Amino acid sequence: MTKAKKKITVPSEVRRRVEALRSEIDRHRHAYHVLDSPVISDQAYDALVAELSELERRYPSLRRPDSPTEKVGAAPREGFVKVRHKYRQWSFDNVFDEEEFRAWAERLRRRAAKIGLSDFVPEYVCELKIDGLKVILRYERGRFKQAATRGDGRVGEDITANIAAVETIPKTLKKPADLIVVGEVWISKREFERINAQRRRAGEPLFANPRNTAAGSLRQLDPTVTAGRKLEAFFYEINEVVLPAGESRPQTQAATLRLLSALGLPVNTHWKLARTEEEVENFYRFWTDKHTGEAYQVDGVVIKLNRIDWQKALGWTAKAPRFAVAWKFPAEQATTVVEDIVLQLGRTGALTPVAHLRPVKIAGTVVSRASLHNKDEIARLDLRVGDTVIIEKAGDIIPDIVKVLPDLRPPGAKPFDFRRAAEKVCPGGIAREDVGGGKGVIYYCRDKNGYEVVREKLTYFASKKGLDIAGLSRCTIAKLMDASLIDDPADIFFLTEENLLSLEGFKEKAARNLLEAVRAAAAAPLEKFLTALGIRHIGEETALAVAAYLSEKFFSGFESFSPRDLVVAGELSLDDWSRIEGVGDKAARALREWFTAAENIRLLERFDEAGVRLFPLRSRSDTSLRGKTVVITGTFDAYTREELKEKIRSLGGKVSSTVGAKTDFLLVGRKPGGKLAKARSLGLKIIPEEEVEDFLSGE
């Protein structure tokens, strides 16, 4: 007797979420496909669709034939003559990582076995996924007759006159073939910028991206507008072909691309026949790093089964071919849900709001937090716990929330009460400072000696950016503070094995290891010591500049010196500090205040009493990067990020986390993210991983 399947109960909040997602996705589909005026990025849209698909998979009873997950494109736009396609037009299913690609390939094998393809050993054709407008062209005896958009897959818009105005699409083929061919019309990034500059001068709305510029240019009721824009195309699929006598229809996708090229149609040359999944993955990885250098936008790789008879045997789902898939490049944007907003206390007592997110993959990594910068940013976004948001990760830093999708907001979501949350973190009250420069107001704990502030200062002092004391974690620091064993950074160097063994959970080996790390940190480079002190506005780069100045002015003849000797820095005027290259007005005031404060002079004396020794920054024999700003992106096989930073600084260079007009070099490793595209757009010097060693050796 067959056991009945257990019915899955669908929670009411899931039903509400699914309906809200369908409504939101349909709204964005209309804006994208019909109005050519997207409200959100393709990547954010893909993320919404992926969430809906997953919910429909998990709760099959929620599936509907009119769901956006079952639709292709959108209905034709009013004003155009409608064209019913002779062959159904499809979109591709997406995969986003190696695991999903392998799962797709495995599904192919299982289905091939199920339908009896006993000799199934797949080869794949990998093609760049051009981000343009899909078009279907018909030729009769080699002459162009008709063109249409994809529309909803069954009915499209007649754009024959507009395609006739595109010079790069041949109106006569090199052979008298009857042909229905599918391709992508695109516009170059340079032409996109030219058109938008023209529209800006005319006071017209700007296009969002090259894809929508191409779509908007083709879907004009006046073909002369199309003719005035430099549209181009690549063709990649044959729906139907009748060739001159003696010539047969291609039997593989690779042969299809060669035939299209032989007929005189433009074909993207960056395709590859891959005989294994590993070769597909290598192609994908190569173009993940290189695609931003092309003249057109590319958002992934399309992978197709090479043999056309196997394509037909494997067939299609309701909206996509089973034999092909689009492997999207790592997204710089994604959508997720804000699960909480918490205030993070920094080394200087500053409060930074951080959004805790439902984990989501972005730019190749899973993230669960996003920076909110300050109270003003929360108000600007009108962000609430439970909101669906678009997050963006630019390079290697923590992502930002760029947009809230209010139509997906759950009922009863309340504005974030910043002051109440701040008072929980800072029992002694909060103070505010307008930092200027458009950065808004920063809030601080008023009590600089409060427990939470001291704990964060000590944690930073022992961190990798500070003196890198292995084993001295935030948790251990809290235990030491609770036991009244440490109260300031100098106390760390007075710790004994007996002190540590008195802490709950501390064994002899852990105690000895920590004390060994403390002893090693007691011999500190001046720049690391200055960074570790956590002086406001003094980060790693500024600390390096200050260390160079102090070393040359006061300690040039010293092998090492005592922290007590740094009291001489209290003699420097505000003007003296300001004259140090890389020290701004706020940093100069902070340094002046710190080195003249009585409690800090006493702290330096206690470091001396604990046996701490400092080493001046030696003048560099090689200053090949002096005055140059270097940005690092991606991961490197031969270096850690800290090793690269240290080497760049040793050559006199400055390391920055953001690409801008003042950047001189970008070092590029694997999975570089958005910094590479920005550097190329600015025409900056790019150093690939294989050239980094020569670059750092001055060659």
Side-chain angles (χ1 to χ4, degrees):
M1 185 174 181
T2 305
K3 189 175 180 180
K5 286 187 177 180
K6 184 178 179 181
K7 187 175 181 180
I8 300 174
T9 302
V10 183
S12 58
E13 61 269 21
V14 171
R15 290 185 183 277
R16 286 196 298 269
R17 181 70 177 174
V18 165
E19 289 306 314
L21 282 169
R22 284 173 178 156
S23 176
E24 185 79 358
I25 291 168
D26 278 337
R27 185 168 68 85
H28 291 300
R29 280 165 52 84
H30 183 76
Y32 182 89
H33 289 289
V34 179
L35 303 181
D36 297 322
S37 183
V39 179
I40 61 175
S41 71
D42 291 0
Q43 297 166 336
Y45 175 84
D46 286 345
L48 291 174
V49 173
E51 182 185 353
L52 178 58
S53 296
E54 175 58 22
L55 289 174
E56 290 178 341
R57 183 197 66 78
R58 199 181 303 166
Y59 301 100
S61 64
L62 294 179
R63 292 176 184 163
R64 291 192 337 215
D66 64 343
S67 172
T69 58
E70 301 297 324
K71 295 178 182 177
V72 175
R77 192 173 184 173
E78 292 300 321
F80 284 90
V81 175
K82 294 178 176 58
V83 175
R84 180 164 291 278
H85 297 302
K86 185 174 181 180
Y87 297 89
R88 175 79 186 275
Q89 300 301 314
W90 311 90
S91 61
F92 294 110
D93 284 335
N94 296 327
V95 296
F96 295 95
D97 56 33
E98 185 176 310
E99 183 180 349
E100 291 183 3
F101 164 65
R102 290 279 181 160
W104 170 80
E106 182 57 32
R107 287 196 299 274
L108 276 190
R109 288 188 173 85
R110 287 201 303 268
R111 186 165 183 84
K114 184 177 181 180
I115 62 177
L117 298 180
S118 56
D119 59 340
F120 188 76
V121 180
E123 292 181 336
Y124 308 97
V125 170
C126 305
E127 304 169 42
L128 297 185
K129 186 177 181 298
I130 311 302
D131 196 11
L133 180 71
K134 186 172 183 177
V135 294
I136 300 89
L137 273 57
R138 179 166 58 85
Y139 289 83
E140 293 179 2
R141 297 194 59 77
R143 295 187 178 277
F144 171 63
K145 289 296 182 182
Q146 188 183 57
T149 63
R150 178 180 62 183
D152 64 4
R154 299 181 186 278
V155 177
E157 302 149 340
D158 190 323
I159 52 169
T160 304
N162 304 61
I163 288 292
V166 179
E167 293 183 1
T168 55
I169 296 178
K171 308 310 177 291
T172 303
L173 301 178
K174 291 183 177 180
K175 296 180 181 181
D178 293 338
L179 177 70
I180 298 177
V181 63
V182 181
E184 202 85 6
V185 171
W186 54 274
I187 202 163
S188 71
K189 298 170 188 174
R190 180 174 293 182
E191 179 68 358
F192 164 69
E193 296 293 346
R194 184 193 71 80
I195 293 170
N196 261 355
Q198 190 178 63
R199 293 174 72 86
R200 189 179 294 109
R201 288 192 297 270
E204 297 174 338
L206 303 184
F207 285 116
N209 52 53
R211 185 268 171 202
N212 290 93
T213 310
S217 300
L218 265 187
R219 301 166 83 191
Q220 294 283 334
L221 296 176
D222 180 2
T224 60
V225 176
T226 306
R229 296 173 182 172
K230 297 176 182 176
L231 295 172
E232 302 185 59
F234 289 131
F235 292 89
Y236 51 79
E237 180 183 337
I238 292 174
N239 286 162
E240 178 180 290
V241 63
V242 178
L243 294 166
E247 296 188 42
S248 58
R249 179 177 178 137
Q251 301 302 305
T252 65
Q253 176 63 16
T256 295
L257 296 173
R258 294 189 189 102
L259 173 61
L260 291 174
S261 185
L263 290 173
L265 288 161
V267 172
N268 189 287
T269 57
H270 298 309
W271 63 272
K272 176 183 174 63
L273 178 62
R275 290 177 169 80
T276 64
E277 276 90 32
E278 288 80 7
E279 289 186 17
V280 173
E281 290 159 5
N282 289 338
F283 182 89
Y284 173 83
R285 281 192 288 267
F286 176 85
W287 283 105
T288 297
D289 294 342
K290 302 293 185 184
H291 73 276
T292 54
E294 297 303 304
Y296 41 83
Q297 279 198 318
V298 185
D299 62 355
V301 170
V302 175
I303 302 132
K304 301 172 185 172
L305 198 60
N306 189 35
R307 279 181 54 170
I308 291 174
D309 60 333
W310 284 353
Q311 290 183 7
K312 292 177 179 177
L314 290 165
W316 293 258
T317 66
K319 68 179 283 284
R322 292 191 180 94
F323 54 81
V325 74
W327 189 348
K328 291 294 194 78
F329 290 136
E332 298 296 333
Q333 286 195 345
T335 60
T336 187
V337 174
V338 176
E339 296 182 332
D340 198 4
I341 300 172
V342 299
L343 295 183
Q344 184 172 288
L345 187 61
R347 61 187 173 88
T348 64
L351 293 166
T352 303
V354 175
H356 287 205
L357 310 170
R358 180 186 295 166
V360 62
K361 182 171 281 190
I362 180 171
T365 58
V366 175
V367 299
S368 57
R369 295 187 178 191
S371 173
L372 292 169
H373 304 294
N374 53 37
K375 179 184 177 184
D376 296 344
E377 182 72 359
I378 297 175
R380 183 187 70 79
L381 291 165
D382 185 25
L383 180 68
R384 308 180 187 191
V385 173
D387 274 346
T388 299
V389 295
I390 298 174
I391 62 171
E392 181 174 80
K393 190 177 183 185
D396 314 294
I397 57 176
I398 184 171
D400 291 325
I401 292 176
V402 297
K403 187 181 180 68
V404 172
L405 301 178
D407 290 345
L408 294 177
R409 175 171 288 160
K414 296 179 180 178
F416 179 67
D417 191 332
F418 187 94
R419 181 165 291 277
R420 175 179 289 184
E423 288 170 351
K424 289 180 180 178
V425 180
C426 305
I430 57 175
R432 65 195 299 274
E433 177 189 349
D434 190 341
V435 295
K439 295 182 179 179
V441 174
I442 300 295
Y443 289 83
Y444 293 88
C445 288
R446 191 183 299 279
D447 183 3
K448 297 292 190 291
N449 296 313
Y451 180 91
E452 293 82 1
V453 176
V454 172
R455 183 192 62 208
E456 293 308 311
K457 283 183 179 178
L458 293 171
T459 300
Y460 186 79
F461 184 87
S463 71
K464 285 187 177 294
K465 287 189 175 182
L467 293 193
D468 194 12
I469 305 175
L472 194 52
S473 64
R474 177 183 278 104
C475 179
T476 300
I477 285 169
K479 288 181 179 180
L480 290 166
M481 289 177 66
D482 292 343
S484 300
L485 291 172
I486 60 172
D487 189 48
D488 63 37
D491 286 334
I492 293 169
F493 298 96
F494 288 99
L495 289 171
T496 66
E497 187 171 343
E498 183 181 357
N499 294 150
L500 296 177
L501 291 176
S502 69
L503 301 178
E504 184 182 353
F506 245 88
K507 304 297 183 185
E508 287 186 11
K509 184 176 180 181
R512 285 196 296 270
N513 288 344
L514 177 52
L515 288 176
E516 187 176 330
V518 169
R519 282 193 291 271
L526 176 57
E527 65 273 18
K528 294 289 284 183
F529 182 75
L530 292 172
T531 301
L533 290 174
I535 303 170
R536 284 188 65 189
H537 307 299
I538 309 301
E540 291 176 278
E541 295 299 324
T542 307
L544 189 68
V546 171
Y549 176 82
L550 295 178
S551 296
E552 184 177 348
K553 186 172 181 65
F554 298 117
F555 308 112
S556 60
F558 290 66
E559 181 65 31
S560 67
F561 61 94
S562 161
R564 186 196 300 265
D565 295 330
L566 280 175
V567 297
V568 70
E571 300 172 5
L572 297 174
S573 68
L574 191 60
D575 286 343
D576 290 330
W577 289 115
S578 297
R579 279 194 287 268
I580 301 174
E581 185 179 353
V583 175
D585 291 343
K586 289 186 177 180
R589 283 195 294 273
L591 288 162
R592 171 72 178 157
E593 290 170 7
W594 199 94
F595 281 102
T596 55
E599 66 266 28
N600 294 330
I601 293 172
R602 176 58 187 147
L603 178 63
L604 293 174
E605 291 171 346
R606 294 194 67 245
F607 277 123
D608 182 43
E609 293 164 7
V612 174
R613 299 295 294 175
L614 303 179
F615 294 85
L617 189 64
R618 299 296 178 197
S619 58
R620 307 176 181 94
S621 57
D622 182 355
T623 57
S624 55
L625 292 180
R626 183 176 178 82
K628 303 296 184 183
T629 298
V630 183
V631 176
I632 304 166
T633 185
T635 57
F636 297 79
D637 292 330
Y639 302 92
T640 66
R641 189 166 291 260
E642 289 306 313
E643 287 171 342
L644 284 173
K645 287 181 179 180
E646 188 173 329
K647 182 62 176 174
I648 291 164
R649 289 167 182 151
S650 74
L651 297 173
K654 176 184 176 183
V655 180
S656 175
S657 61
T658 56
V659 172
K662 295 182 179 179
T663 304
D664 295 290
F665 302 100
L666 178 70
L667 306 191
V668 179
R670 288 178 286 106
K671 297 182 179 179
K675 292 179 183 177
L676 178 58
K678 187 170 183 181
R680 283 179 170 145
S681 71
L682 293 172
L684 303 180
K685 178 68 175 176
I686 295 167
I687 311 297
E689 183 172 8
E690 59 269 21
E691 296 177 15
V692 166
E693 187 173 352
D694 289 343
F695 173 76
L696 295 177
S697 64
E699 296 181 11

